[in-house]
Amino acid sequence: MKIRSYELFQVPPRWLFLKIETDEGITGWGEPVIEGKAATVKTAVEELMEYLVGKDPMHIEDHWNMMYRSGFYRGGPILMSAIAGIDQALWDIKGKYYNAPVYQLLGGKARDTMKVYSWIGGDRPADVGAAARQMADQGFLAVKMNATEELQYIDSYDKIDAAVARIAAVREATGPAFGIGIDFHGRVHKPMAKILAKELEPFRPMFIEEPVLPENNEALREIANHVAIPIATGERMFSKWQFKSLLTDGVADIIQPDVSHAGGITECKKILSMAEAFDVAAAPHCPLGPIALAACLQVDATCHNAFIQEQSLGIHYNQGSDLLDYLVDKTVFEYKAGYVSIPDKPGLGIEINEAHVRKMAAEGHNWKNPVWRHTDGSIAEW
């Protein structure tokens, strides 16, 4: 079997889909994208696919190493996202060839279902109490929300008080056992992160996420020594080599690699297994489309330390075009009592509605994240 051709589809709301075709009629789908840089990743995929057309798609480890190691300059969000989507599509082909879900090819399931959480509140968090109650009424056992708007290195306690009030509203609306993930989103610099984390402790969050930017991971030790809340990070880390120092430093409790950003199924399986050896949990990042979610669940199924999965159904970015719109069988991601079953059809376990993909690709997108500024005119972290 040989890779015959491929196509890329830039589809709303902000995703990029890859279809790889073989000469035996088996096709695989992947989702190579960095939010806001879809066209850049598309070009990187095209460059990498020059090496793969005509090759046997089954040699996934070799292809991964070729894509990663044959370039003198390697790593980073663009190249690793391009590799990730190609890797997903190759696993999809391999599973379909053997008529088995990917998790069977990775050693089999460690679980039958995966706990999921839902986003609430938007980029500038508001009305989170009512939104959390609505998610709880729908059966979710956990939500995630942005902690705050932009903060300066040293900022007003008014903003801290407002963030605390929002978390208090969520806890009051959902009760003591409900999971609350609080995403600092890298918006909070170390001085304010220490203050905010300490103030949130009484509400017993499930975790705080990216309390500082990953380039400032050395600050996590001080924050970890300051509070008892589990610390999560990793959505902006792209390889096992980046996670190595995070794990050996012992400053994170939960890692969040993205299967569409951090080298795909091949790399993320290894990252999660590395974390298991450090007694660190995993909650893969995935505010993306259905192919990315399916790939995450295939990895989650095989990793003992995966405890909850992000998913984008109804997220504020998906206005007008959502997760299930691109699937033939929309029940594959049916959430029940806060869990979703691991897709068990061959490959990634989903069937893409190609006609809808082509229709929406004609519409396309040029999604960019907003540019925020502080009151003094300086650029703020989004």
Side-chain angles (χ1 to χ4, degrees):
M1 184 165 56
K2 306 294 182 187
I3 295 172
R4 185 179 65 190
S5 61
Y6 70 95
E7 291 182 87
L8 287 151
F9 306 93
Q10 200 161 323
V11 296
R14 55 178 190 162
W15 304 329
L16 181 68
F17 292 170
L18 165 67
K19 178 188 177 185
I20 295 179
E21 293 191 77
T22 69
D23 59 359
E24 294 190 13
I26 300 175
T27 62
W29 289 85
E31 194 169 330
V33 70
I34 277 286
E35 301 91 300
K37 299 292 183 184
T40 311
V41 177
K42 180 175 182 287
T43 298
V45 172
E46 291 169 346
E47 291 176 336
L48 290 171
M49 287 302 299
E50 290 180 21
Y51 297 96
L52 292 178
V53 172
K55 302 293 195 306
D56 184 342
M58 307 293 270
H59 300 161
I60 296 175
E61 279 285 345
D62 183 66
H63 296 325
W64 197 99
N65 280 289
M66 182 280 300
M67 290 187 288
Y68 181 83
R69 297 179 188 277
S70 66
F72 185 78
Y73 300 101
R74 57 187 69 170
I78 302 303
L79 292 177
M80 295 304 284
S81 296
I83 291 172
I86 295 170
D87 181 81
Q88 292 167 7
L90 295 179
W91 277 108
D92 196 27
I93 289 169
K94 192 162 194 169
K96 290 171 180 174
Y97 179 86
Y98 286 111
N99 195 34
V102 167
Y103 68 73
Q104 291 287 20
L105 307 181
L106 297 175
K109 289 191 294 186
R111 59 177 50 82
D112 297 318
T113 60
M114 189 68 191
K115 192 175 184 179
V116 292
Y117 65 79
S118 183
W119 262 93
I120 59 169
D123 280 336
R124 295 185 180 276
D127 302 321
V128 289
R133 181 67 258 167
Q134 182 182 13
M135 292 301 108
D137 290 342
Q138 291 179 20
F140 285 99
L141 303 174
V143 295
K144 190 169 82 175
M145 57 180 283
N146 280 310
T148 183
E149 300 180 357
E150 64 272 30
L151 288 177
Q152 284 276 24
Y153 286 83
I154 303 296
D155 213 318
S156 165
Y157 277 87
D158 289 346
K159 293 183 181 178
I160 299 294
D161 292 342
V164 170
R166 286 190 290 268
I167 306 305
V170 173
R171 178 56 74 210
E172 182 179 358
T174 57
F178 196 78
I180 307 173
I182 305 173
D183 191 354
F184 284 36
H185 216 256
R187 296 172 182 172
V188 189
H189 299 276
K190 183 178 73 169
M192 301 306 293
K194 291 191 296 181
I195 295 168
L196 181 54
K198 194 68 175 178
E199 293 284 339
L200 294 177
E201 237 180 344
F203 303 101
R204 297 180 174 179
M206 180 170 60
F207 56 75
I208 55 173
E209 178 176 333
E210 276 197 336
V212 292
L213 289 164
E215 51 262 45
N216 298 323
N217 272 350
E218 69 279 357
L220 292 178
R221 181 173 301 283
E222 187 174 352
I223 296 169
N225 290 335
H226 193 61
V227 298
I229 305 170
I231 293 174
T233 193
E235 70 184 60
R236 287 185 270 191
M237 299 170 66
F238 307 107
S239 72
K240 65 176 81 71
W241 294 281
Q242 282 187 290
F243 280 93
K244 177 173 63 172
S245 58
L246 180 74
L247 293 169
T248 55
D249 287 347
V251 293
D253 305 293
I254 303 162
I255 59 162
Q256 300 172 300
D258 189 309
V259 182
S260 277
H261 299 340
I265 290 170
T266 297
E267 185 74 345
C268 285
K269 167 68 172 170
K270 295 173 183 178
I271 292 169
L272 266 64
S273 294
M274 282 173 57
E276 184 185 354
F278 289 87
D279 205 23
V280 169
H285 180 254
C286 190
L288 295 169
I291 304 169
L293 179 57
C296 282
L297 291 172
Q298 295 296 327
V299 174
D300 292 336
T302 70
C303 293
H304 188 265
N305 56 330
F307 83 102
I308 199 165
Q309 177 61 58
E310 181 172 25
Q311 55 81 39
S312 76
L313 187 62
I315 199 171
H316 47 290
Y317 304 122
N318 292 4
Q319 297 290 328
S321 196
D322 212 335
L323 184 74
L324 304 181
D325 296 340
Y326 292 95
L327 296 177
V328 173
D329 178 9
K330 303 180 192 308
T331 66
V332 68
F333 294 140
E334 187 174 2
Y335 306 139
K336 295 180 180 179
Y339 288 78
V340 65
S341 295
I342 305 299
D344 58 4
K345 294 179 181 177
L348 295 178
I350 58 173
E351 183 179 354
I352 294 296
N353 184 338
E354 188 170 334
H356 187 70
V357 169
R358 292 185 181 280
K359 174 185 173 183
M360 300 310 291
E363 178 180 317
H365 73 84
N366 188 29
W367 187 89
K368 298 286 187 290
N369 63 254
V371 176
W372 287 0
R373 291 183 181 270
H374 296 295
T375 53
D376 63 3
S378 62
I379 292 291
E381 301 288 353
W382 173 75

